[in-house]
Every structure is written in structure tokens, then in C-alpha cells.
């Protein structure tokens, strides 16, 4: 994929019931795969954006594209789900809203999905642009 890097690239076609479009999952594995992630996954998101742009120019149809390096997104999803549960507990215990740090839309979606079946809380995205963040609201919220 990039000269000088020891990586292997594989493509997987996924049909997801929650998404309207199929997903093309690009897995990058190998000794140098972690170097493609960058701080907080920024380099990987940039690579994903470039790959998505190239694909849309070459192939007709609507596809969701995910570029993952050495399982970063699986680990990140698990970390975000654990964060969601921990902050939901905090919101319920304190009876107050808990606002998470700003994060990209795909990460906010993971938080919303992780807590959608928790009857004690609800979630909403607040803010604009890059400052958009998830707020976890206990059902008997006293802070308005």
C-alpha cells in the first residue's frame, strides 16, 4: 500500500443490517500497520478518506468504506463501549448529565448504540462541527 512499509492489505465485503449500504472493510496488517494509525487514529481516518474518495470516483454505487490497521477499530470500539457504560453509571449515580469529549461522528454513533438499550439513560449529540460531543442524560435528570 505504501512503499517501504511491511503490511498486507485485504478487502472484505460486509452486508450490515443496520446500515443501508454495504461496507467495504480494508484490513491492513503487518509489522508496520500500527504506524498508519497516528495520534487518536487521525492518520488512519485520513487514509480512509483518501481511499473512499478514490473508490467513489472509480466505482458506481453507494458503499461505506472502513480502513482498519491491525485491529485498531475493533479495539477502539471496545474502548468506547466501556467508556459509555462507565459514564452512564456516573450519570445515574450523580443524577446529572455527563458530557463526553468531542469525537468524530462514527465514534459518537458507537456511544449512542452502546447505550440505546439502557433504560436508565438517553443520549444526545450536542455542539457543532469538530466540537460535537455526546451527552449522557439520566432519565430522572435534575439538571436542565
Amino acid at each position: 500500500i505504501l512503499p517501504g512499509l511491511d503490511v498486507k492489505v485485504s478487502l472484505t465485503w460486509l452486508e450490515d443490517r443496520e446500515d443501508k449500504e454495504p461496507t467495504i472493510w480494508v484490513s491492513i496488517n503487518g509489522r508496520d500497520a500500527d504506524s498508519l494509525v497516528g495520534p487518536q487514529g487521525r492518520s488512519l481516518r485520513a487514509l480512509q478518506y483518501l481511499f473512499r474518495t478514490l473508490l467513489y470516483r472509480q466505482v458506481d454505487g453507494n458503499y461505506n468504506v472502513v480502513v482498519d490497521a491491525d485491529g485498531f477499530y475493533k479495539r477502539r470500539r471496545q474502548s468506547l463501549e466501556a467508556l459509555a457504560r462507565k459514564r452512564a453509571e456516573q450519570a445515574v449515580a450523580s443524577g446529572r448529565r455527563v458530557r463526553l469529549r468531542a469525537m468524530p461522528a462514527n465514534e459518537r454513533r458507537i456511544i449512542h448504540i452502546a447505550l440505546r438499550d439502557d433504560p436508565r439513560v438517553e443520549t444526545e449529540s450536542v455542539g457543532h462541527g469538530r466540537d460535537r460531543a455526546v451527552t449522557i442524560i439520566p432519565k430522572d435528570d435534575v439538571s436542565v
Side-chain angles (χ1 to χ4, degrees):
I1 186 167
L2 295 173
L5 292 180
D6 183 14
V7 296
K8 286 188 175 185
V9 178
S10 62
L11 300 174
T12 306
W13 181 270
L14 302 171
E15 297 283 341
D16 190 353
R17 285 177 257 146
E18 287 186 29
D19 292 329
K20 293 178 181 142
E21 302 115 15
T23 297
I24 298 172
W25 191 276
V26 181
S27 295
I28 303 170
N29 295 298
R31 189 181 57 162
D32 297 328
D34 279 344
S35 65
L36 296 173
V37 175
Q40 287 90 38
R42 281 189 221 129
S43 299
L44 191 57
R45 280 195 300 275
L47 185 62
Q48 179 173 286
Y49 174 80
L50 291 172
F51 187 83
R52 183 179 290 152
T53 301
L54 287 171
L55 181 71
Y56 287 164
R57 291 177 186 247
Q58 299 294 321
V59 180
D60 290 331
N62 292 322
Y63 308 99
N64 183 27
V65 177
V66 176
V67 177
D68 191 14
D70 222 17
F72 171 78
Y73 280 118
K74 182 178 181 181
R75 292 189 311 272
R76 182 69 179 144
R77 170 180 230 111
Q78 291 170 342
S79 173
L80 288 168
E81 288 170 347
L83 174 68
R85 289 188 297 272
K86 181 178 178 181
R87 295 297 189 231
E89 291 298 331
Q90 182 182 1
V92 170
S94 69
R96 303 186 66 80
R97 296 172 181 233
V98 173
R99 182 175 175 167
L100 304 179
R101 66 170 179 72
M103 57 184 70
N106 63 316
E107 292 186 357
R108 290 193 313 270
R109 183 174 186 262
I110 292 168
I111 300 292
H112 290 300
I113 290 171
L115 296 177
R116 72 177 167 199
D117 294 331
D118 188 329
R120 305 168 304 155
V121 297
E122 55 190 37
T123 60
E124 70 179 8
S125 289
V126 296
H128 300 285
R130 300 186 109 183
D131 293 328
R132 202 151 167 80
V134 175
T135 298
I136 301 171
I137 307 160
K139 291 287 176 112
D140 53 351
D141 183 19
V142 293
S143 65
V144 177

